[in-house]
């Protein structure tokens, strides 16, 4: 008989955040990242940032890293932000006859 008792609250919270991130990835063409300014940023964005910190330190558990990679998580959040800005600039240039001034 299972009554749903959670023995490790930290693992349960991690799984819940992964579940939310998976839904975001499904709605975002397989891109599992949350950017600052998104409504879910306050908790999930900081959690994503922390996963990147743990990965860079070599402290992220291998199973967790694998689960994040399965949903398209990008550990280099600075590169993600840079690429987003580059895409925005490309769209500006496209709308201005190839000139990318803002």
């Amino acid at each position: 008989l299972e009554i749903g008792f959670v023995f490790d609250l930290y693992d349960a919270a991690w799984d819940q955040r992964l579940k939310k991130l998976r839904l975001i990835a499904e709605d975002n063409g397989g891109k599992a990242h949350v950017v600052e300014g998104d409504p879910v940023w306050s908790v999930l964005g900081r959690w994503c940032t922390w996963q990147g910190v743990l990965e860079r330190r070599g402290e992220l558990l291998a199973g967790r890293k694998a689960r994040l990679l399965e949903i398209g998580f990008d550990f280099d959040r600075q590169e993600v932000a840079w690429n987003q800005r580059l895409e925005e600039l490309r769209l500006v240039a496209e709308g201005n006859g190839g000139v990318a001034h803002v």
Side-chain angles (χ1 to χ4, degrees):
L1 175 69
E2 185 175 318
I3 59 172
F5 187 78
V6 176
F7 288 95
D8 188 331
L9 293 177
Y10 183 77
D11 282 343
W14 196 94
D15 289 339
Q16 282 296 93
R17 290 185 178 121
L18 179 67
K19 185 177 179 178
K20 287 180 184 177
L21 193 59
R22 181 177 284 120
L23 292 173
I24 288 171
E26 289 171 3
D27 290 342
N28 197 22
K31 297 178 183 176
H33 61 271
V34 181
V35 294
E36 195 168 352
D38 283 355
V40 294
W41 169 258
S42 62
V43 174
L44 193 57
R46 282 183 266 154
W47 179 82
C48 289
T49 299
W50 185 242
Q51 301 313 299
V53 169
L54 292 173
E55 195 272 337
R56 283 189 299 282
R57 291 180 182 171
E59 298 174 9
L60 184 63
L61 298 175
R64 287 184 175 176
K65 182 175 180 177
R67 290 171 67 193
L68 286 165
L69 289 171
E70 283 175 9
I71 63 167
F73 187 83
D74 192 336
F75 286 98
D76 190 345
R77 298 186 51 73
Q78 287 180 336
E79 183 176 343
V80 169
W82 193 91
N83 286 330
Q84 286 174 328
R85 299 302 178 260
L86 181 62
E87 178 61 15
E88 290 170 9
L89 187 60
R90 187 190 66 75
L91 292 173
V92 167
E94 189 176 282
N96 287 323
V99 179
H101 59 81
V102 288

